[in-house]
Amino acid sequence: MNGDGTGGPANDVRQFTVAADDDGIRLDRWFKRNLPRVGFATVSRWARTGQLRVDGKRAKVDDRLEAGQVLRVPPGGEAKGGKAAPRRRELTETDMEQARAMLIRGTPSALVLNKPPGLATQGGSKTTRHVDGLLDAFVREDQPRPRLVHRLDKDTSGVLLVARTPGSAASYSKRFSSRSARKIYWALIVGVPDLREATIDAPLAKQPGTGGEKMHVDEENGQAARTRYRVVERAGTRAAWVELEPLTGRTHQLRVHMAAIGHPIVGDGKYGGQDAFLTGAISRKMHLHARRLIIAEPARKGAGEETGGGKLDVTADLPDHFAASMEALGFDPALSDAAPIRDEPPERTPAEKKLAARRHFKQARKESRTPRRARGAAKKAAPKGRRGKPKGRRK
């Protein structure tokens, strides 16, 4: 919301300029996002009585807003028990330094972090230190708090994307759920697979008796799960360095799949047991790293036209223990740039999708006319009179 909130006192009318991030949002959803203490019933009453105005015109709760429009909001309306803005956590200087050290890149729509191993993405009953708790270090004045749009396991390191605004969070979440975001992991595994490159297709489900903390392959009741892998380099028969690309997004998918084919990820005792640990100078920490993320950025409006946001393509450096193990096993990181294993066309912008839909509809109509024309021509060519009528029995 580029909310100038003109008026000052609580009993004055307020005006807000719709931000680019809120372009296309419904009016009631705008209130939920920007003025959460104003309830839906209040918004509906204001709209019904003509107190809500967009660019001077009466507005309905289901109207779609456009970037740059001016929204006139009556004074008050905040419910006492309404949802308040989240309290910001007081961070220590150590917290601030850790947050800044994780930052790889910042864009208008996202923050890209390199999550270290051992740091949880979100909090839990026994987890008080996590990435989500450090996001207050990136809060800008009068701007919403950044929010997570996907997760990494606590012991997995690498690229973690955080959305700067609610609008970009919705856009990125959609791309992750539709699998258009492409994630490439590096892993060290025990032993060497027979096939240099393959797809593991094994349904996964929660393992009974573990309280949902552990997954397993379940051919009958599991959810579909597929992982592509490629062996980059091998250290004899002892270990291999692989690129992994999840084609679905199940919990612990990469870890379960590699263990299922007999090559657990080094350091993953949860799924590989004692067989997951190598002797010598190899660390006992897990060797799974989100190396690269490729995702389409949200489209932006400018000069009355919608433009694609382009591609965000980011790589994350290895953590110290992973880099040391690579060196100990004689692997050369330069042998892989984490290139995507699948080759797919780039995602189209909304404008391109609309154009393609119109072309498809036009072609479908054209094809539907052909049979009708053929029937009409056949009818004209048919002989007239009794010879053209089918014969029937006389009663």
Side-chain angles (χ1 to χ4, degrees):
M1 123 180 116
N2 289 334
D4 28 47
T6 346
N11 59 349
D12 284 350
V13 170
R14 295 161 287 178
Q15 290 189 345
F16 301 92
T17 302
V18 179
D21 195 55
D22 290 327
D23 183 69
I25 195 174
R26 278 174 49 125
L27 180 60
D28 54 349
R29 181 67 182 171
W30 183 93
F31 274 92
K32 188 174 182 181
R33 179 183 289 182
N34 297 288
L35 296 176
R37 293 184 70 105
V38 178
F40 179 77
T42 302
V43 176
S44 299
R45 175 168 53 83
W46 284 345
R48 191 171 58 251
T49 56
Q51 298 181 73
L52 277 181
R53 302 268 175 166
V54 176
D55 286 346
K57 299 178 181 179
R58 294 183 61 154
K60 300 177 182 178
V61 292
D62 59 351
D63 284 348
R64 296 280 177 178
L65 300 176
E66 295 182 7
Q69 288 182 324
V70 177
L71 176 63
R72 175 193 182 277
V73 179
E78 287 80 4
K80 292 182 179 180
K83 183 180 177 182
R87 293 177 58 187
R88 296 182 182 177
R89 177 186 170 193
E90 292 295 330
L91 299 180
T92 65
E93 187 58 35
T94 301
D95 294 333
M96 297 290 286
E97 289 178 2
Q98 183 177 16
R100 288 191 290 263
M102 287 192 295
L103 184 63
I104 303 173
R105 186 184 304 176
T107 73
S109 62
L111 299 166
V112 187
L113 310 178
N114 186 356
K115 188 188 85 66
L119 180 66
T121 303
Q122 291 177 293
S125 57
K126 297 181 180 179
T127 305
T128 58
R129 190 169 184 81
H130 43 81
V131 174
D132 191 37
L134 298 174
L135 295 183
D136 286 311
F138 304 107
V139 175
R140 297 173 175 176
E141 187 175 356
D142 298 327
Q143 292 292 321
R145 186 179 188 273
R147 57 188 67 191
L148 297 165
V149 289
H150 70 124
R151 295 177 60 251
L152 290 177
D153 293 342
K154 181 178 180 180
D155 295 320
T156 302
S157 57
V159 179
L160 182 68
L161 186 139
V162 180
R164 282 192 184 274
T165 63
S168 58
S171 176
Y172 284 126
S173 296
K174 183 178 179 180
R175 282 161 173 75
F176 278 111
S177 62
S178 65
R179 305 300 166 209
S180 63
R182 303 172 68 177
K183 297 175 285 185
I184 299 92
Y185 291 73
W186 280 5
L188 297 184
I189 59 174
V190 176
V192 181
D194 294 333
L195 298 176
R196 183 179 181 84
E197 183 175 348
T199 298
I200 303 170
D201 192 344
L204 302 180
K206 293 181 179 179
Q207 185 170 312
T210 63
E213 294 292 326
K214 195 173 181 181
M215 307 292 287
H216 73 135
V217 175
D218 187 338
E219 296 288 352
E220 293 184 0
N221 303 312
Q223 293 182 303
R226 293 184 302 127
T227 300
R228 284 288 300 273
Y229 77 82
R230 184 175 76 89
V231 177
V232 181
E233 199 173 5
R234 54 190 291 174
T237 58
R238 184 187 184 200
W241 164 29
V242 295
E243 288 176 354
L244 302 173
E245 184 176 7
L247 305 181
T248 53
R250 308 303 175 199
T251 302
H252 298 171
Q253 176 178 314
L254 303 181
R255 300 164 62 184
V256 180
H257 274 176
M258 297 314 295
I261 64 171
H263 301 284
I265 294 172
V266 174
D268 187 10
K270 184 169 190 173
Y271 290 104
Q274 287 301 315
D275 293 338
F277 300 98
L278 298 178
T279 57
I282 307 302
S283 170
R284 293 181 65 85
K285 293 181 179 180
M286 187 154 69
H287 291 69
L288 179 60
H289 179 72
R291 174 65 174 178
R292 185 179 182 185
L293 173 67
I294 306 170
I295 190 169
E297 291 192 283
R300 293 186 165 275
K301 271 202 170 183
E305 295 184 0
E306 184 173 310
T307 58
K311 289 284 184 181
L312 184 62
D313 189 344
V314 191
T315 58
D317 292 336
L318 291 172
D320 292 341
H321 79 278
F322 202 133
S325 296
M326 291 275 287
E327 185 177 356
L329 292 169
F331 295 148
D332 180 6
L335 293 179
S336 169
D337 60 355
I341 298 174
R342 1 177 216 141
D343 185 15
E344 296 177 350
E347 186 179 6
R348 293 177 295 182
T349 65
E352 290 172 336
K353 290 179 181 178
K354 289 180 182 178
L355 180 60
R358 284 198 295 267
R359 288 175 176 170
H360 175 75
F361 178 68
K362 185 177 180 180
Q363 181 65 25
R365 288 186 62 189
K366 183 178 179 181
E367 292 175 355
S368 67
R369 290 195 192 105
T370 304
R372 290 202 300 268
R373 289 172 179 170
R375 288 196 300 269
K379 188 175 181 180
K380 288 180 180 179
K384 296 181 180 180
R386 302 176 67 91
R387 288 180 301 175
K389 297 180 181 179
K391 295 181 180 180
R393 291 182 179 179
R394 290 184 180 181
K395 290 184 179 180

